[in-house]
Amino acid sequence: MEYLDRLSAFRAEKIGLERDGRVRLVSHEFRWKRLFSDEAHLVYDFLRLEELRLYHCGSTSIPGIAAKPVIDIVGSVPSLAALDEKKAALEALGYEWKGEYGIPGRRYSVLYNQEKTAGYIHLHLFEEGNPEIERHLVFRDYLRAHPEKAAAYEQEKLRLVEAGTPRSEYTEAKAGVLSSLLAEAEAWRKTGSVLAILGSAPGGKNTEAFLREKYPGAEVVHLHREDVRPYQYGEAGEHSDAFPGIVEKMLGADLVVFATPVYWYAMSGPMKDFLDRFSNLLRGKHKAYGEALYGKQMRLLSTGYDDRLPFGFEVPLASTALYLGMDYFGAEYRAVKT
Ligand SMILES: Cc1cc2nc3c(=O)[nH]c(=O)nc-3n(C[C@H](O)[C@H](O)[C@H](O)COP(=O)(O)O)c2cc1C
């Protein structure tokens, strides 16, 4: 989507914070998550860094609470040096590259309007493993899981705005409440239930062995044992097969692991058939499932003969995750020489 079309899409959903020194809060819009997904997908596509991970964070990612009308995206790259080489690509997408901008190890970029009088997207990128990423995510997840805490946080923000707190003091003024919520969030962090979707061909053993080792408690769905039919256009394609039930299980799990061997440099056929069926989650009677997948955590687990995952292997899953607004945390891979 072109720069100006993106800006008008943001404005239509009340995104855009004027740079006039004041703080403005707007009530939550259901469609903010779609704006995040669209933008994150575009950034992923433009930067062409296979291992770039992007997550919706900040107040616009917490349903129900008022927020400054700016979409925050936090993400990781394998190396800042690789990201620095992509500065021109990010600028071509309309972002202003600001470098660290006060936080060591960060690369901060902002999408403004043409006149630079309003900001739309704040993009905060760090090197993989930087604790700042986890901090943003655990805070968000804690507030999503505890609406009463989210409401208390919102009250504090509204109080500051009503008191006329200028933007230059706003972040500092809510630092106290933010750090106590963050401490609670870090204590809360849970190791939840895991559902693994396994795409090996009948008789395949390696991927399951690696999966059982990594996630001993996981419930495993063997796709080749399930009646998951290939995607078909139209209402006739909304089969009453095993697919909707597997998606329900995904919704009930805290983490979904997509486990697939490498077959001819790509995911296995059963896994691809399964992913194609996600088109059934965008419209029709299963649309609500697609909406509900937003924020769900997922990983990829794979085995193959070669020493590394083939180039591009993660892109379909990482892109699908961005499309649906799922949090994709990358791949675990084992080379098996048998
Ligand atoms: C049809 C087929 C295609 C394969 N293609 C690749 C490949 O492109 N790259 C690779 O590293 N290994 C390839 N392999 C090896 C498998 O990825 C490897 O043996 C894997 O551990 C099998 O896992 P599974 O036992 O769960 O099926 C292929 C194996 C099969 C059967």
Side-chain angles (χ1 to χ4, degrees):
M1 212 201 285
E2 297 297 325
Y3 173 70
L4 290 178
D5 294 335
R6 274 150 72 218
L7 296 192
S8 60
F10 293 133
R11 277 194 294 265
E13 305 300 339
K14 297 197 287 190
I15 290 295
L17 180 64
E18 287 76 27
R19 302 170 75 196
D20 56 7
R22 290 182 308 147
V23 180
R24 190 166 64 87
L25 297 177
V26 298
S27 53
H28 186 83
E29 287 289 320
F30 174 72
R31 280 186 51 83
W32 285 347
K33 60 184 184 184
R34 173 99 326 259
L35 295 180
F36 156 77
S37 294
D38 290 349
E39 185 67 18
H41 212 246
L42 205 59
V43 170
Y44 187 58
D45 225 32
F46 251 70
L47 294 202
R48 305 261 142 181
L49 283 171
E50 188 179 351
E51 286 149 319
L52 172 65
R53 308 283 165 247
L54 297 168
Y55 310 103
H56 192 184
C57 70
S59 289
T60 61
S61 70
I62 300 160
I65 70 167
K68 281 205 303 278
V70 171
I71 292 186
D72 282 284
I73 302 178
V74 68
S76 70
V77 283
S79 88
L80 288 179
L83 177 63
D84 289 344
E85 286 173 18
K86 300 289 181 176
K87 179 170 177 266
L90 211 47
E91 286 169 346
L93 205 49
Y95 281 84
E96 183 167 310
W97 177 278
K98 292 178 177 285
E100 290 192 331
Y101 212 65
I103 299 186
R106 175 171 75 159
R107 293 293 180 275
Y108 179 53
S109 303
V110 178
L111 187 79
Y112 294 115
N113 59 359
Q114 276 175 309
E115 304 77 27
K116 300 240 164 96
T117 53
Y120 294 80
I121 307 275
H122 291 174
L123 178 64
H124 317 255
L125 298 175
F126 299 90
E127 205 159 276
E128 236 167 61
N130 187 312
E132 282 290 328
I133 304 165
E134 179 60 18
R135 242 167 44 89
H136 277 96
L137 298 185
V138 78
F139 180 76
R140 175 202 70 182
D141 292 344
Y142 182 64
L143 294 196
R144 280 180 178 171
H146 299 87
E148 74 288 357
K149 298 286 178 187
Y153 181 52
E154 179 187 43
Q155 280 311 311
E156 176 64 6
K157 294 200 299 179
L158 290 169
R159 191 185 65 74
L160 290 171
V161 170
E162 270 159 30
T165 313
R167 190 159 174 200
S168 54
E169 293 167 24
Y170 177 75
T171 307
E172 185 58 32
K174 68 184 171 85
V177 88
L178 205 123
S179 76
S180 71
L181 281 171
L182 191 59
E184 286 175 30
E186 278 167 351
W188 160 82
R189 192 195 311 263
K190 56 183 171 161
T191 48
S193 58
V194 179
L195 176 76
I197 317 266
L198 177 62
S200 297
K205 300 253 179 312
N206 295 344
T207 311
E208 182 170 3
F210 184 39
L211 174 67
R212 300 267 181 208
E213 203 181 300
K214 281 274 171 185
Y215 299 94
E219 177 183 353
V220 180
V221 173
H222 290 256
L223 286 176
H224 76 80
R225 291 184 198 155
E226 302 286 336
D227 171 30
V228 176
R229 278 173 245 160
Y231 179 73
Q232 189 185 323
Y233 284 97
E235 275 177 37
E238 293 178 6
H239 311 290
S240 299
D241 59 358
F243 178 72
I246 299 174
V247 177
E248 268 173 32
K249 282 188 181 183
M250 287 173 63
L251 293 175
D254 292 305
L255 172 70
V256 181
V257 177
F258 290 81
T260 171
V262 181
Y263 291 161
W264 292 108
Y265 308 99
M267 71 180 81
S268 71
M271 186 60 87
K272 183 67 172 76
D273 272 345
F274 180 72
L275 267 194
D276 287 352
R277 288 293 299 283
F278 278 34
S279 298
N280 290 136
L281 307 178
L282 306 180
R283 59 193 73 81
K285 66 178 179 188
H286 294 128
K287 186 166 185 264
Y289 286 164
E291 300 284 353
L293 283 173
Y294 168 80
K296 182 66 56 190
Q297 304 197 340
M298 62 178 267
R299 297 190 67 95
L300 171 63
L301 179 141
S302 184
T303 66
Y305 181 84
D306 291 339
D307 291 335
R308 297 193 305 149
L309 268 181
F311 177 70
F313 190 85
E314 287 186 77
V315 172
L317 267 180
S319 300
T320 303
L322 285 177
Y323 192 91
L324 294 168
M326 296 173 79
D327 286 341
Y328 174 61
F329 289 108
E332 294 161 290
Y333 177 72
R334 173 178 286 173
V336 184
K337 303 290 181 188
T338 54

